[in-house]
């Protein structure tokens, strides 16, 4: 899902960089300094998650965890994922420096959207709603990320439908796995420290 | 009400939870030692007048990947596709450095810079025709094989033997250092950035 250097055209790279810069600025502004360790741990989780691979046919895909991060951080997901991506590029050469902005947008925007849609469902007392929202948050954010990757490649001249089908189908197992992971994390934290989910809404993230 | 300045207050009740998360991260990193599982890469080496390439996505071969060959300055030379085993070979188009690019779909791309001094011209001896004839006849009678044939045979044998070594060399040149180090380093950088931000924030708020 990381797009490498040299594939995307300049307009796409520039708009991606601009959007990511705006998002990160908003995220840093909204960041509560008391919660920085949480941001750091989620960023580290994102960094390591891309190393866990699921082989699918001729290629292999990796965990993204953007649904989980969006759920706990909201807008602050921008700096968290950006730092994770930057370190992955520098240390592992996943993705590229020029495509950093595009990759950031591709992974963070779905996280934000899913947070906005499913955030209140996750916090609800009704167990079924909470389970469903958690699963959909994890599932949909990977799905939207795949679509955005296909979109970025489309603007560089590739045929959208073929690439989109390829990326989405390849990531279907990841979507399901992430939905389950989100469910487990949400249930665990609700039992142990339910305030984590509430704080995000208190400060109007 | 004074804000609790303990930076970990908001995320943990006890250190157990932090240890739990770090443990999970560590489990993932131990399994994920093969950092190349997500990267595409291409190796190239020369045998005679042909350049052979192999394309990988992690440990798997890339079939039907697009290969493009450019000069070092970016002029397009030729294009092709890898077969089902990820191989693609072509005759050396010119004796300069070549940039060989692999595009494996889904946004993955890799490059290999093939240096022209990896290709060596067979050494041509300077000899006058008469002495060469004389030498050839002598050699033919004694060993039954001329210099030219001998040279050809030696080149083939050497190519055969050096082929796997060239491949391994190409791999080593591309590989960076131990990946577990990088994983731990990356996590360290993140925690370090966190520490710096917390430090500056604590300096900004006046101590009570």
């Amino acid at each position: 899902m990381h797009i490498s250097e040299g594939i995307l055209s300049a307009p796409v790279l520039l708009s991606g960089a601009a959007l990511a810069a705006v998002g990160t600025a908003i995220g840093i502004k909204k960041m509560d300094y008391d919660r920085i360790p949480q941001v750091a741990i989620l960023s580290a989780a994102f960094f390591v998650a891309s190393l866990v691979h699921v082989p699918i046919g001729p290629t292999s895909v990796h965990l993204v965890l953007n649904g989980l991060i969006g759920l706990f951080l909201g807008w602050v997901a921008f700096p968290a994922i950006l730092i994770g991506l930057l370190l992955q590029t520098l240390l592992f050469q996943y993705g590229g420096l020029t495509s950093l902005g595009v990759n950031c947008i591709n992974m963070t925007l779905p996280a934000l959207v899913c947070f906005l849609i499913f955030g209140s469902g996750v916090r609800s007392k009704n167990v079924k709603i909470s389970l469903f929202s958690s699963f959909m948050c994890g599932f949909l954010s990977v799905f939207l990320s795949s679509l955005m990757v296909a979109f970025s490649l489309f603007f560089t001249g590739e045929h959208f439908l073929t690439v989109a089908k390829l990326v989405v189908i390849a990531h279907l197992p990841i979507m399901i796995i992430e939905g389950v992971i989100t469910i487990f994390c949400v249930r665990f934290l609700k039992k142990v420290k339910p305030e984590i989910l509430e704080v995000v809404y208190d400060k109007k993230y | 009400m004074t804000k609790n300045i303990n930076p970990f207050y908001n995320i943990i009740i006890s250190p157990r939870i932090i240890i739990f998360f770090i443990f999970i991260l560590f489990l993932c990193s131990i399994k994920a030692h093969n950092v190349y599982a997500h990267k595409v890469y291409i190796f190239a080496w020369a045998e005679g007048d042909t350049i052979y390439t192999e394309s990988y996505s992690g440990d798997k071969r890339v079939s039907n990947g697009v290969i493009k060959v450019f000069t070092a300055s970016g002029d397009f030379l030729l294009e092709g596709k890898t077969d089902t085993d990820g191989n693609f070979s072509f005759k050396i188009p010119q004796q300069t450095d070549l940039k060989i690019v692999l595009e494996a779909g889904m946004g993955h791309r890799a490059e290999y810079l093939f240096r022209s001094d990896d290709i060596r011209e067979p050494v041509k001896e300077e000899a006058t025709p008469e002495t060469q004839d004389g030498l050839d006849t002598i050699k033919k009678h004694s060993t039954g094989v001329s210099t030219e044939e001998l040279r050809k045979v030696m080149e083939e044998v050497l190519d055969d033997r050096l082929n796997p070594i060239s491949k391994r060399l190409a791999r080593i040149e591309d590989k960076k250092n131990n990946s577990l180090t990088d994983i731990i380093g990356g996590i360290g950088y993140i925690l370090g950035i966190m520490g710096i931000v917390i430090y500056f924030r604590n300096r900004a708020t006046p101590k009570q």
Side-chain angles (χ1 to χ4, degrees):
Chain A
M1 192 168 280
H2 297 77
I3 300 183
S4 322
E5 295 263 21
I7 293 202
L8 298 173
S9 55
V12 177
L13 290 176
L14 285 173
S15 32
L19 288 171
V22 168
T24 311
I26 298 180
I28 292 181
K29 213 155 180 272
K30 286 186 180 259
M31 181 162 59
D32 178 9
Y33 285 102
D34 283 335
R35 305 182 69 225
I36 286 182
Q38 179 175 356
V39 179
I41 285 199
L42 284 169
S43 186
F46 172 81
F47 175 76
V48 174
S50 304
L51 301 167
V52 179
H53 292 273
V54 179
I56 303 282
T59 105
S60 63
V61 288
H62 60 81
L63 282 187
V64 184
L65 280 197
N66 54 351
L68 196 68
I69 294 179
L71 198 56
F72 289 121
L73 296 182
W75 278 94
V76 190
F78 267 104
I81 291 184
L82 185 68
I83 297 262
L85 282 175
L86 180 66
L87 286 169
Q88 282 172 348
T89 305
L90 292 177
L91 294 173
F92 303 133
Q93 290 86 46
Y94 282 3
L97 280 174
T98 48
S99 46
L100 197 61
V102 176
N103 282 328
C104 183
I105 279 284
N106 284 347
M107 300 198 203
T108 318
L109 209 58
L112 195 60
V113 165
C114 287
F115 162 74
L116 292 172
I117 298 178
F118 295 109
S120 40
V122 168
R123 289 161 62 230
S124 111
K125 296 278 187 266
N126 183 335
V127 173
K128 285 213 187 94
I129 294 184
S130 176
L131 280 181
F132 175 74
S133 305
S134 317
F135 182 82
M136 284 310 290
C137 193
F139 185 91
L140 208 63
S141 48
V142 182
F143 178 73
L144 291 176
S145 278
S146 319
L147 286 186
M148 290 200 68
V149 167
F151 226 41
S152 324
L153 294 173
F154 166 68
F155 279 120
T156 312
E158 295 206 27
H159 188 231
F160 178 70
L161 270 182
T162 31
V163 178
K165 264 190 263 181
L166 197 65
V167 180
V168 169
I169 291 178
H171 282 91
L172 266 176
I174 297 285
M175 295 181 210
I176 298 178
I177 293 176
E178 287 218 6
V180 173
I181 290 181
T182 315
I183 286 185
F184 278 131
C185 282
V186 166
R187 290 199 62 188
F188 174 75
L189 282 167
K190 270 195 162 182
K191 274 185 230 163
V192 169
K193 178 109 180 125
E195 297 90 76
I196 290 188
L197 295 166
E198 303 295 329
V199 179
V200 187
Y201 275 83
D202 267 350
K203 306 267 179 161
K204 301 265 193 297
Y205 273 83
Chain B
M1 187 159 76
T2 57
K3 238 174 164 177
N4 190 323
I5 59 170
N6 177 354
F8 289 105
Y9 177 69
N10 275 319
I11 62 161
I12 53 165
I13 293 177
S14 68
R16 273 182 296 163
I17 297 189
I18 268 219
I19 295 187
F20 171 74
F21 273 121
I22 294 188
F23 178 65
I24 299 281
L25 284 181
F26 213 68
L27 274 185
C28 294
S29 20
I30 290 177
K31 182 64 178 66
H33 57 277
N34 183 10
V35 145
Y36 279 84
H38 189 55
K39 207 175 145 189
V40 293
Y41 43 110
I42 177 171
F43 306 125
W45 69 94
E47 268 179 45
D49 62 349
T50 315
I51 294 181
Y52 293 88
T53 69
E54 279 185 1
S55 303
Y56 291 83
S57 168
D59 285 328
K60 303 202 175 121
R61 303 298 185 108
V62 173
S63 53
N64 284 316
V66 173
I67 305 270
K68 294 188 181 151
V69 181
F70 302 86
T71 63
S73 44
D75 304 317
F76 177 75
L77 287 173
L78 59 96
E79 184 174 325
K81 274 192 165 209
T82 62
D83 62 16
T84 40
D85 288 328
N87 299 326
F88 172 71
S89 53
F90 54 95
K91 293 260 180 293
I92 299 176
Q94 54 184 72
Q95 296 290 349
T96 61
D97 288 350
L98 299 171
K99 189 163 68 164
I100 306 177
V101 174
L102 160 71
E103 284 170 15
M106 287 219 288
H108 293 125
R109 182 181 183 277
E111 274 184 20
Y112 186 87
L113 183 60
F114 182 85
R115 299 188 192 287
S116 61
D117 44 323
D118 284 347
I119 315 163
R120 266 172 295 109
E121 295 281 0
V123 174
K124 295 255 185 298
E125 279 175 26
E126 287 303 317
T128 61
E130 300 91 5
T131 47
Q132 193 59 30
D133 272 344
L135 280 168
D136 275 343
T137 1
I138 295 175
K139 286 197 181 118
K140 244 204 177 83
H141 284 291
S142 51
T143 65
V145 138
S146 73
T147 327
E148 274 310 307
E149 289 171 15
L150 195 59
R151 180 172 296 133
K152 249 191 161 172
V153 169
M154 281 203 62
E155 272 184 15
E156 278 170 34
V157 172
L158 278 176
D159 277 341
D160 237 4
R161 292 291 165 89
L162 290 177
N163 184 353
I165 297 182
S166 309
K167 278 206 275 190
R168 293 184 66 176
L169 208 59
R171 254 186 210 249
I172 291 177
E173 281 176 346
D174 194 57
K175 240 184 178 92
K176 311 294 196 242
N177 19 27
N178 186 357
S179 48
L180 187 57
T181 316
D182 290 335
I183 297 175
I184 295 180
I187 297 180
Y189 273 113
I190 292 177
L191 295 178
I193 294 176
M194 168 186 93
I196 292 177
V197 173
I198 292 180
Y199 170 73
F200 278 111
R201 179 253 174 182
N202 277 341
R203 270 177 49 141
T205 47
K207 294 264 191 278
Q208 268 103 8

